[in-house]
Amino acid sequence: MNGFSGKIAHVDLTDGRIWMEEPPAAFYRTYLGGQGFVAYYLLKLVPKGAEPLGPENVLIFANGATTGAPLAGGGRNAMGAKSPLTGGYGEADVGGFFGAELQLAGFDALIVYGKAAEPVYLWIKDGEIEIRPAGHLWGMHTLETQDKLREELGDSLVRVSMIGPAGERLSRIACVMNDATRSAGRPGLGAVMGSKNLKAVAARGKQRVQMADPDKFKELSRWMRDNWKDKSWGMHDLGTAGGVDSLDHAGQLPTRNFQNGTFAGAHAISGEVMRDTVMVDRDSCYACAIACKRVVEITEGPFQANPRYGGPEYETIGAVGSNCGVDDLAAVSTANELCNAYGLDTINAGMMVSFAMECFEAGLITSEDTQGLDLRFGNAAAMVEMIRRIGERTEGLGWLLGEGPKGAVQEIGPEAEDFAIHVKGQPFPMHECRTRHGQALGYAVSPTGADHMHNFWDGSMEKAPLSEELQGWGVYESMPQTELGPAKVRAFTHVSNWQWLDNHLGMCMFIPWSVDQKVDLVRSITGFKATTMELQQVAQRGVTLARVFNLREGLSRADDKLPKRMNSYFKTQTVNEKPVDPEVLDESISLYYGMMGWDPETGTPTEAGLAALDIEWAAEHLK
């Protein structure tokens, strides 16, 4: 098949069975890979009510329509399982090289069932899969694991997707790491992988993605090669960390567990300071020229950093930096390394530390609970030590914070609920929605819990005239970032679906492909005569299936809500903030449901809505 290998591998670790599925072309066109595959197979394969950390859950590695194609942004893969953090739909998307290598090894997706009796890893090479013992790898940090596997397999180009000790010890905020520097984070998939006694998946392949229209593909690829500097030089120069100063100046930098939107020490941890001090290199994902990844090295002082673990991106800087009141870039870099080594999602880990800091300052956590650690905002050493304890899952607070916000509140008490900034059990990313109310809607209705990657950026609607792409979605008039009326909901619905499409394609959102170019990429790679409308429907289909999964697992409209802190002003007010009115948000949620073809009251996809997306079969899971 053009763009795909046509094979999906299934591996049952309980009995060692391995089998192949070869879906028809219509299946690929309907779901397109990535998130589409994750949503489809989770509904089909995970029994209702399955324990997320039990053998009935499945773990899915799914490539998209562009994964493995030699072009900027096509190096990503999706991962999915029932989330141990939320109890609902769990999906993470990750860059690096593993997804492309899995594609070149002959597989569009890998689905793992059951639980091995002892630790194992999977070795995938040129269409063959082996289950191998991994007892000698258990307990290793991610970089050690990768080095050991490459040595064992005799190939320095083997690509590895793996867990660290946090995943082995079933931390609900553990992630899966590609290449020891890219995280499939957020919903706790590292714990699912650990629950299966699966330490790693190693891949190596020599196949190539077959193009339906090689000439058109080369034309698009050359365009990005020739224009990326004009379009994305800032991303190359400063990476996502380039947003620290601008967000702080706008009053949108999460600070001290989202109590404030500005941070006095912001510039000290900014992308500019990183570039000019501790950064020694830039790294890139498969076939990408932009090289937005930071590589830092620190060899002196109390906080050090190994460049082989990369460097902190914006989300990490916000989570363990400003949101913990820490303005020490070396400490932020060390915390980033610890998270990558232990296999912890940096957003979740930083948010759990900031939660604990606020609890400590409020007297809900004592020095006895912290074993003498002065866990106050701004204490860089305490932040780093707490990250280490969460990674080790040491007894006491280190273990508890690894349970995520719901588990921590349940143990500490209801007084801590106001300090737990999350949706559905997944902590907020580092974007302040009291200044962007379309994003607030996105946090509330996201099937994975609070997430920014398939969300809306209200700033695009303040500009006049609006971009041609927004006007192409039927949004013609600009409006304030804190507006949340029907036009904003319409814009959010269309734009967020298009953001979700990236997760189907295996495409990085930071590559400046236009809407039309993405359509052309799908056509030139797969041969499907896709249209913009069709690709929008593909994404809406995936989101709707995720909604069905959550409804089946007991989540409802009552879970589509924001934490109380978003209904109040910052402690230190800024000119841009406006608390999110719960009644206005509730009205916008009903509008969003209706626009998605869901019941406006319950959010349940209607019969007509499912039929419009050609997924009538999903109604069976709503009974």
Side-chain angles (χ1 to χ4, degrees):
M1 294 178 65
N2 292 315
F4 297 101
S5 70
K7 290 185 178 180
I8 294 175
H10 298 256
V11 178
D12 191 329
L13 296 178
T14 301
D15 59 15
R17 286 188 304 128
I18 299 173
W19 67 100
M20 303 300 162
E21 178 185 3
E22 297 185 8
F27 174 83
Y28 283 89
R29 187 158 184 172
T30 302
Y31 301 102
L32 208 56
Q35 192 263 344
F37 286 0
V38 168
Y40 174 87
Y41 282 110
L42 286 184
L43 264 179
K44 291 284 189 176
L45 299 177
V46 178
K48 178 181 178 180
E51 166 56 44
L53 298 180
E56 288 186 318
N57 202 0
V58 300
L59 182 66
I60 302 168
F61 301 74
N63 290 334
T66 69
T67 307
L71 81 160
R76 296 179 69 80
N77 67 277
M79 292 194 64
K82 184 177 181 180
S83 168
L85 194 58
T86 70
Y89 178 80
E91 184 213 335
D93 298 84
V94 55
F97 291 81
F98 172 80
E101 203 67 37
L102 179 64
Q103 192 68 49
L104 302 183
F107 299 103
D108 301 314
L110 167 69
I111 303 175
V112 183
Y113 306 71
K115 178 181 179 178
E118 301 291 341
V120 297
Y121 75 91
L122 300 181
W123 170 223
I124 302 177
K125 183 178 181 181
D126 293 327
E128 301 293 330
I129 300 178
E130 297 178 46
I131 302 173
R132 294 189 170 193
H136 59 303
L137 304 174
W138 209 249
M140 285 186 179
H141 291 162
T142 55
L143 192 56
E144 296 174 272
T145 301
Q146 178 176 271
D147 288 348
K148 184 66 176 178
L149 280 172
R150 287 176 171 175
E151 177 186 354
E152 184 173 311
L153 297 170
D155 190 339
S156 62
L157 294 179
V158 165
R159 300 298 180 177
V160 184
S161 187
M162 72 208 106
I163 56 172
E168 296 172 3
R169 296 162 194 170
L170 307 186
S171 169
R172 294 179 190 269
I173 62 172
C175 62
V176 180
M177 298 297 300
N178 284 4
D179 313 314
T181 55
R182 275 74 165 183
S183 165
R186 310 314 321 277
L189 302 183
V192 176
M193 195 161 167
S195 74
K196 297 185 174 302
N197 273 334
L198 179 60
K199 176 65 174 178
V201 180
R204 187 76 167 98
K206 297 179 181 178
Q207 298 184 27
R208 291 293 177 265
V209 174
Q210 299 299 310
M211 305 294 169
D213 187 345
D215 291 338
K216 182 62 177 179
F217 177 82
K218 290 176 183 177
E219 175 190 325
L220 291 161
S221 186
R222 282 194 296 266
W223 181 92
M224 186 59 71
R225 180 199 65 193
D226 295 338
N227 290 279
W228 75 266
K229 289 183 180 179
D230 293 334
K231 300 281 187 178
S232 293
W233 180 257
M235 187 61 68
H236 170 79
D237 187 33
L238 299 174
T240 57
V244 174
D245 276 342
S246 60
L247 288 171
D248 182 63
H249 294 155
Q252 298 174 351
L253 183 66
T255 300
R256 294 178 179 254
N257 201 32
F258 281 81
Q259 294 184 76
N260 288 320
T262 59
F263 180 48
H267 185 66
I269 53 176
S270 67
E272 289 84 353
V273 170
M274 189 193 312
R275 177 196 61 195
D276 297 339
T277 57
V278 299
M279 195 175 89
V280 295
D281 201 358
R282 294 176 175 86
D283 192 13
S284 112
C285 297
Y286 174 80
C288 188
I290 293 176
C292 71
K293 303 292 289 183
R294 311 295 90 184
V295 179
V296 304
E297 183 173 23
I298 304 172
T299 58
E300 297 179 354
F303 306 114
Q304 299 185 12
N306 180 349
R308 294 189 65 202
Y309 275 117
E313 306 297 330
Y314 167 72
E315 297 295 332
T316 307
I317 292 170
V320 302
S322 62
N323 210 41
C324 289
V326 171
D327 61 3
D328 188 325
L329 185 57
V332 168
S333 299
T334 298
N336 176 76
E337 177 178 326
L338 287 172
C339 286
N340 288 353
Y342 283 106
L344 285 171
D345 176 65
T346 60
I347 299 174
N348 289 337
M351 283 293 286
M352 292 312 298
V353 173
S354 69
F355 161 80
M357 286 176 163
E358 189 167 0
C359 287
F360 185 84
E361 292 194 354
L364 303 182
I365 291 174
T366 67
S367 295
E368 182 179 352
D369 297 317
T370 67
Q371 299 175 316
L373 198 64
D374 185 24
L375 198 57
R376 298 181 187 277
F377 287 114
N379 188 335
M383 178 275 291
V384 170
E385 172 60 17
M386 207 65 247
I387 294 289
R388 186 193 65 78
R389 292 184 189 180
I390 295 172
E392 291 281 356
R393 293 223 82 183
T394 54
E395 293 183 5
L397 194 58
W399 183 89
L400 179 62
L401 296 181
E403 287 293 281
K406 285 184 175 180
V409 168
Q410 186 174 3
E411 181 68 22
I412 295 170
E415 301 90 346
E417 179 64 48
D418 287 349
F419 305 156
I421 313 302
H422 70 92
V423 172
K424 301 179 179 70
Q426 181 165 282
F428 266 39
M430 296 299 105
H431 300 278
E432 175 54 69
C433 70
R434 279 170 287 188
T435 60
R436 305 186 189 109
H437 287 194
Q439 193 168 82
L441 170 63
Y443 284 163
V445 300
S446 168
T448 60
D451 195 287
H452 62 295
M453 295 300 289
H454 46 255
N455 211 321
F456 182 70
W457 304 89
D458 297 74
S460 62
M461 290 200 66
E462 278 198 330
K463 303 172 184 177
L466 295 180
S467 70
E468 284 298 324
E469 290 189 353
L470 273 174
Q471 293 187 58
W473 301 132
V475 181
Y476 306 117
E477 297 181 4
S478 60
M479 64 184 66
Q481 294 192 63
T482 52
E483 172 76 20
L484 193 53
K488 179 67 74 68
V489 177
R490 185 170 69 253
F492 165 77
T493 302
H494 289 306
V495 172
S496 66
N497 278 342
W498 197 253
Q499 297 284 76
W500 276 104
L501 180 69
D502 285 341
N503 295 355
H504 292 70
L505 298 178
M507 173 63 70
C508 176
M509 71 174 294
F510 296 122
I511 311 301
W513 297 112
S514 70
V515 169
D516 289 340
Q517 285 175 321
K518 286 184 180 179
V519 174
D520 285 342
L521 282 169
V522 172
R523 288 181 163 208
S524 65
I525 293 171
T526 66
F528 302 150
K529 301 303 181 184
T531 64
T532 304
M533 178 181 175
E534 180 183 359
L535 295 183
Q536 277 278 87
Q537 285 189 315
V538 167
Q540 188 168 340
R541 184 178 295 124
V543 180
T544 298
L545 290 176
R547 180 74 183 180
V548 172
F549 185 89
N550 278 348
L551 290 168
R552 191 192 73 175
E553 297 307 313
L555 280 75
S556 69
R557 179 174 185 143
D559 297 289
D560 291 350
K561 62 181 180 179
L562 298 179
K564 290 182 180 178
R565 181 154 291 174
M566 298 303 112
N567 305 334
S568 60
Y569 284 97
F570 297 138
K571 283 195 170 183
T572 304
Q573 293 187 21
T574 71
V575 295
N576 293 316
E577 68 173 313
K578 178 183 176 183
V580 181
D581 186 322
E583 291 186 6
V584 174
L585 178 64
D586 195 58
E587 291 171 0
S588 72
I589 289 173
S590 292
L591 282 173
Y592 170 72
Y593 288 169
M595 292 179 188
M596 288 291 288
W598 307 346
D599 181 273
E601 295 301 317
T602 66
T604 301
T606 65
E607 181 180 355
L610 294 175
L613 296 171
D614 194 23
I615 48 173
E616 298 96 323
W617 61 266
E620 171 187 340
H621 297 276
L622 293 171
K623 293 178 181 178

